[in-house]
Amino acid sequence: MVRSEAMVMALTVSIVAATAALWQWQGRKERWRERVQRILRKFTRESATPAPLLWQVADALASNMEASLSISGNQKEDGGGGGGGGSSSSLNMLVAFVDSLPTGEEEGIYYGVNLRSKDFLILSARLAGNKSPISDLHRQEVAFPSHVLQSSSSQEVFDFVASKVAEFVAAHPVETGVGKGLGFTVSYPMGHSATEFDSSSSSTNTAIKWKSFLVDDPVQDQKQLLGEINSALKKHGMDVQAFTLATDPAGDLAGGRYYSRDCVAAVTLGVGTSVAYTEPAESVPRSRWLGLVTMGWGNFNCPDFPVTEIDSCLDSESSNPGHQIFEKLISGTYLGEIVRRVLLKMARGASLFGNRVLPPGLKTPYVLSINDVATMHQDTSEDREAVADKLRSIFKIADTTLTTREIVAEVCDVAVERGARLAAAGIVGIIKKLKRIEDKKSMVTVEGELYESYRVFRNYLLSGVWEMLGKELSDNVVVECSHGGPGSGTVFLAATHQGATAASGVIDAE
């Protein structure tokens, strides 16, 4: 009997101890959840983008655009070389070296070159007029060898490009007398300031350079640069000529204009971001190349931006603190980094991934790409297995609960929704600047994986535009994917100049 009572007592003590341990574990779990949720709620609250805030951003962008054009015009009058980088505006705005845009009636097979950071695309495609779809598209990607990337001469770069263009044209010939033009675009902004490139002026003093390139010799204007390109083509026996040099968005705008006269802007939303749009001729002072403006809106800044502690730390620790603020909120490069930093804060301050040693991968800057974010964000499986796979492969976090995976997906959602809606505000700001919101239909073409491949980002952007404009005006702004895929704008630019009977030097922005 005594032994039985002792056993019962021991069992009771064990049960009480186990129950206490369970309560303690549940208490820790609840405190963990509360700490994680507190961080998430704060990030969500500070990232909010209600419609009134979006309108403040749109209004600020429109004002900055106006100020940049005014600064550019005043400095032209004074013979200066600056552009939109003055004290009244943070925007870089360059008049594109383009004197016309497609009409939709261009016909033939045309070539194009899209120069990127460490490689380039060569393209050919057929246009059949009557705004018919692009066809017979051939695209080849060519990597620059290391000795060319490290060259101190832009001529060596263009010589290599021309040699590969010659090989491509030989493999994809066209009918005699057709397609002698070559469109040429650059995927990164050309120039370190907002100097307006005007081939009629010899006073331009901004060197044209490309990010990730080690081409150090300054080129004083785009006409000289085109001369180098065409000299290289001639050296390699090419019977083609580059008429136009522009950034990617300018080419995308040309593609959009081929299909619709209502296309007034093109936006790149990928690892980086930039814009091209059409201005009425009278708004671009003292430039021969009238109407098409490339805008480095990544450097746009606005006191109404919903900037969080995470964003401030990212900016201060970047290679360019205080610059490219808009880009750091909306582009693919930074969206992945924002998500990583929020997860790192949750891991450090709330043990999101358990009490073990902090996973080393979580501390590696820019290890999380926008494609990784999209995969986790758009994972609709019941157990969020895609999220688990990414956490294992990128951060080496082997075991996660469903709750943890859902929190990771929610962090992605907050960062991406904010970025997409701010991009929407930027698009509306451009249309506002052009005074087309209330009584004219405007089409904006968007290129880049954020919009083309990331369904949720695209939906958030479109809903942001619709929410800002309301039912009555939302039909006046149409946002659609660019035509033909990467680099195809080069072909539309080539067709524009090949088919032109005379270069008027004016683009009809209306």
Side-chain angles (χ1 to χ4, degrees):
M1 175 70 78
V2 173
R3 185 177 180 182
S4 296
E5 290 177 352
M7 292 178 63
V8 170
M9 184 175 294
L11 180 60
T12 301
V13 170
S14 297
I15 292 174
V16 170
T19 302
L22 178 61
W23 287 343
Q24 187 178 21
W25 176 80
Q26 288 178 332
R28 286 198 302 267
K29 188 174 181 180
E30 288 302 319
R31 289 192 295 274
W32 166 81
R33 286 178 176 172
E34 177 55 32
R35 288 195 300 270
V36 169
Q37 288 297 327
R38 191 181 304 123
I39 294 172
L40 181 58
R41 285 195 300 268
K42 184 174 187 290
F43 180 59
T44 302
R45 182 176 63 253
E46 294 178 351
S47 299
T49 53
L53 181 146
L54 295 180
W55 269 113
Q56 290 172 325
V57 171
D59 292 343
L61 178 64
S63 296
N64 268 247
M65 292 168 68
E66 194 73 51
S68 290
L69 290 174
S70 174
I71 291 168
S72 178
N74 290 337
Q75 289 180 331
K76 275 289 182 181
E77 293 284 351
D78 296 338
S87 59
S88 299
S89 174
S90 58
L91 294 177
N92 291 337
M93 299 177 72
L94 308 175
V95 176
F97 196 64
V98 175
D99 57 17
S100 60
L101 284 173
T103 65
E105 299 305 317
E106 290 76 10
E107 296 182 63
I109 298 178
Y110 303 98
Y111 296 108
V113 173
N114 174 214
L115 186 67
R116 306 192 295 190
S117 58
K118 295 185 178 181
D119 58 29
F120 60 97
L121 297 176
I122 310 175
L123 305 93
S124 68
R126 180 186 295 276
L127 300 179
N130 198 29
K131 303 185 187 300
S132 58
I134 191 170
S135 63
D136 297 335
L137 177 63
H138 299 280
R139 182 186 287 112
Q140 179 181 344
E141 183 176 327
V142 182
F144 283 107
S146 59
H147 74 274
V148 173
L149 285 175
Q150 295 168 7
S151 169
S152 61
S153 168
S154 59
Q155 290 181 340
E156 185 171 350
V157 173
F158 296 134
D159 185 68
F160 179 77
V161 171
S163 69
K164 295 302 178 181
V165 170
E167 295 175 5
F168 182 87
V169 171
H172 305 282
V174 299
E175 298 90 343
T176 302
V178 178
K180 297 299 184 183
L182 175 71
F184 202 99
T185 63
V186 181
S187 288
Y188 294 100
M190 297 175 292
H192 295 297
S193 73
T195 298
E196 238 182 87
F197 287 106
D198 181 353
S199 67
S200 65
S201 170
S202 60
S203 64
T204 307
N205 57 9
T206 299
I208 299 175
K209 295 180 183 288
W210 295 271
K211 293 179 182 178
S212 302
F213 267 75
L214 300 178
V215 180
D216 295 326
D217 57 331
V219 181
Q220 298 303 319
D221 57 46
Q222 295 183 54
K223 184 176 181 181
Q224 180 178 337
L225 191 62
L226 277 173
E228 291 190 19
I229 294 169
N230 287 321
S231 293
L233 292 170
K234 186 176 181 180
K235 174 183 174 181
H236 289 273
M238 297 300 302
D239 188 20
V240 297
Q241 183 177 1
F243 296 101
T244 301
L245 176 66
T247 55
D248 269 2
D252 293 330
L253 179 54
R257 185 60 71 90
Y258 174 84
Y259 292 100
S260 173
R261 279 186 57 83
D262 294 327
C263 186
V264 296
V267 179
T268 297
L269 287 171
V271 294
T273 182
S274 56
V275 174
Y277 75 100
T278 55
E279 277 279 4
E282 63 272 14
S283 298
V284 188
R286 295 179 61 82
S287 174
R288 173 190 168 192
W289 306 99
L290 302 180
L292 202 162
V293 178
T294 296
M295 177 168 64
W297 75 347
N299 202 41
F300 169 49
N301 201 354
C302 171
D304 298 301
F305 281 159
V307 175
T308 70
E309 176 188 355
I310 298 293
D311 303 302
S312 297
C313 290
L314 184 155
D315 177 51
S316 65
E317 295 170 11
S318 70
S319 61
N320 57 347
H323 299 279
Q324 301 300 114
I325 302 301
F326 196 44
E327 183 172 14
K328 289 171 181 173
L329 292 170
I330 72 171
S331 73
T333 295
Y334 295 103
L335 288 177
E337 178 63 3
I338 290 168
V339 171
R340 183 196 69 84
R341 285 172 176 262
V342 176
L343 297 180
L344 178 61
K345 182 174 182 178
M346 289 179 168
R348 282 175 169 163
S351 301
L352 176 63
F353 301 110
N355 293 320
R356 59 186 173 219
V357 177
L358 196 66
L362 199 58
K363 296 184 288 185
T364 305
Y366 298 95
V367 70
L368 190 65
S369 74
I370 190 58
N371 291 330
D372 298 325
V373 171
T375 298
M376 294 191 294
H377 189 190
Q378 298 181 144
D379 179 12
T380 58
S381 63
E382 186 174 347
D383 59 357
R384 302 272 189 177
E385 187 55 38
V387 178
D389 287 343
K390 288 297 181 183
L391 293 176
R392 278 193 297 267
S393 62
I394 298 170
F395 300 126
K396 312 305 178 188
I397 302 172
D399 300 313
T400 54
T401 65
L402 177 58
T403 299
T404 297
R405 297 194 287 272
E406 288 175 341
I407 289 170
V408 171
E410 192 166 352
V411 171
C412 295
D413 186 68
V414 173
V416 169
E417 180 180 16
R418 180 187 64 173
R421 286 172 64 84
L422 288 175
I427 289 173
V428 173
I430 294 171
I431 306 303
K432 177 182 173 64
K433 161 63 178 70
L434 297 177
K435 298 179 174 60
R436 297 178 63 98
I437 288 180
E438 295 184 356
D439 57 359
K440 293 181 181 179
K441 183 175 181 179
S442 301
M443 180 176 292
V444 178
T445 180
V446 184
E447 185 272 335
E449 61 265 41
L450 268 178
Y451 187 83
E452 294 178 325
S453 304
Y454 198 158
R455 171 182 48 81
V456 177
F457 182 97
R458 180 171 63 250
N459 291 343
Y460 276 141
L461 186 152
L462 294 174
S463 67
V465 172
W466 295 331
E467 185 178 339
M468 291 181 70
L469 298 178
K471 184 177 180 180
E472 292 184 0
L473 299 177
S474 59
D475 288 343
N476 288 355
V477 179
V478 178
V479 183
E480 63 174 29
C481 288
S482 63
H483 298 275
S488 60
T490 60
V491 173
F492 291 106
L493 288 174
T496 298
H497 288 269
Q498 181 69 20
T501 56
S504 67
V506 177
I507 295 173
D508 179 7
E510 299 299 320

